[in-house]
Amino acid sequence: MNLDKIFENNRDWIAAKQNGNEDFFSNLAKGQSPAMLYIGCCDSRVTAEAMMGMKPGEAFVHRNIANMVSNLDLGVMSTINYAIEHLKVEHVVVCGHYGCGGVKAAMQCADLGILNPWLREVRDVFRLHKNELDAVPDEEARYRRLVELNVQEQCLNVLKTVEAQRARRDRNLQVHGWVFDIGTGRLKDLDIDVDGLLEEISEVYHVA
Ligand code: CO
């Protein structure tokens, strides 16, 4: 990889952005008020803003392996806190993707070192939905379904936070689960029934 090329690209990008809009960067520097918090996978093929056609300033982005919303991960928890409480985003999106290496690894029996505790949470999703997943005979289809169920569980993990519960009550914050299909480039809304899911768990997780 030629790193010089990156700086050359950057100069071209600046020129393109300023073309017809000289104040592009000075306006950008004034502040951000993104309407969306996007939580996605680190996978190099799932480029958050590019595949959504979003411009700088439009999405607050957090990415980690397998788009996890892990309760003890200070990174994702502080991102959620800041996005909801301070930036007042209207939407939180958890976006998974088919072909996710993290989800695949969690379906296999292997010691992956520090990845073990991280991917253990994907294994927990498998256990929670074991009956449904075991009933899918085709392994590829089962893998794709686990990607979707993992997105659903991470949406639930967003809803378990006090920030999300308060913002849903006070200003109708929306939580969405999406999946990106690398093989087609298509972004799919899983149409997760957030209210239904929340109703099922609210007795246990209600904090706001
Ligand atoms: Co992935």
Side-chain angles (χ1 to χ4, degrees):
M1 180 186 263
N2 178 3
L3 296 186
D4 290 339
K5 179 75 180 123
I6 289 175
F7 290 91
E8 198 182 307
N9 292 345
N10 175 248
R11 286 188 288 271
D12 293 345
W13 177 73
I14 292 168
K17 289 288 171 198
Q18 287 178 328
N19 185 20
N21 187 2
E22 269 177 36
D23 301 329
F24 182 85
F25 290 103
S26 53
N27 284 333
L28 205 55
K30 285 175 186 160
Q32 63 169 336
S33 62
M36 174 193 287
L37 164 60
Y38 168 98
I39 299 168
C41 183
C42 293
D43 193 299
S44 59
R45 301 163 296 179
V46 188
T47 54
E49 289 96 337
M51 61 101 166
M52 294 192 290
M54 289 180 106
K55 295 192 280 292
E58 292 185 334
F60 199 62
V61 173
H62 182 90
R63 291 170 69 179
N64 61 37
I65 293 173
N67 42 271
M68 303 304 287
V69 179
S70 181
N71 191 44
L72 295 177
D73 173 12
L74 200 53
V76 72
M77 283 300 140
S78 43
T79 302
I80 287 173
N81 178 281
Y82 188 72
I84 295 179
E85 303 261 298
H86 298 272
L87 296 174
K88 310 255 186 250
V89 295
E90 296 159 35
H91 302 273
V92 178
V93 168
V94 177
C95 184
H97 68 101
Y98 298 128
C100 184
V103 172
K104 183 82 176 177
M107 291 174 79
Q108 290 158 354
C109 174
D111 178 356
L112 297 169
I114 191 64
L115 282 171
N116 290 336
W118 191 260
L119 296 178
R120 220 281 313 280
E121 302 203 10
V122 184
R123 292 181 195 274
D124 292 340
V125 174
F126 198 112
R127 175 177 54 81
L128 275 169
H129 299 275
K130 194 167 185 306
N131 290 345
E132 178 185 339
L133 288 163
D134 283 348
V136 180
D138 177 61
E139 197 183 327
E140 183 62 24
R142 192 160 56 239
Y143 175 24
R144 287 169 76 91
R145 187 62 187 138
L146 181 56
V147 164
E148 295 172 358
L149 290 168
N150 185 47
V151 167
Q152 181 179 304
E153 288 301 324
Q154 304 320 313
C155 285
L156 266 179
N157 285 341
V158 171
L159 294 164
K160 289 171 193 169
T161 67
V162 72
E163 293 90 341
Q165 290 181 16
R166 217 163 22 219
R168 274 176 57 81
R169 184 192 63 204
D170 297 343
R171 56 183 185 84
N172 195 29
L173 173 80
Q174 308 282 306
V175 177
H176 316 268
W178 296 350
V179 171
F180 179 71
D181 189 338
I182 295 175
T184 62
R186 192 173 289 260
L187 192 58
K188 180 164 103 179
D189 188 346
L190 294 176
D191 289 321
I192 290 170
D193 175 14
V194 172
D195 290 319
L197 285 177
L198 199 57
E199 204 176 291
E200 274 178 40
I201 64 161
S202 68
E203 191 190 342
V204 180
Y205 293 104
H206 186 76
V207 281

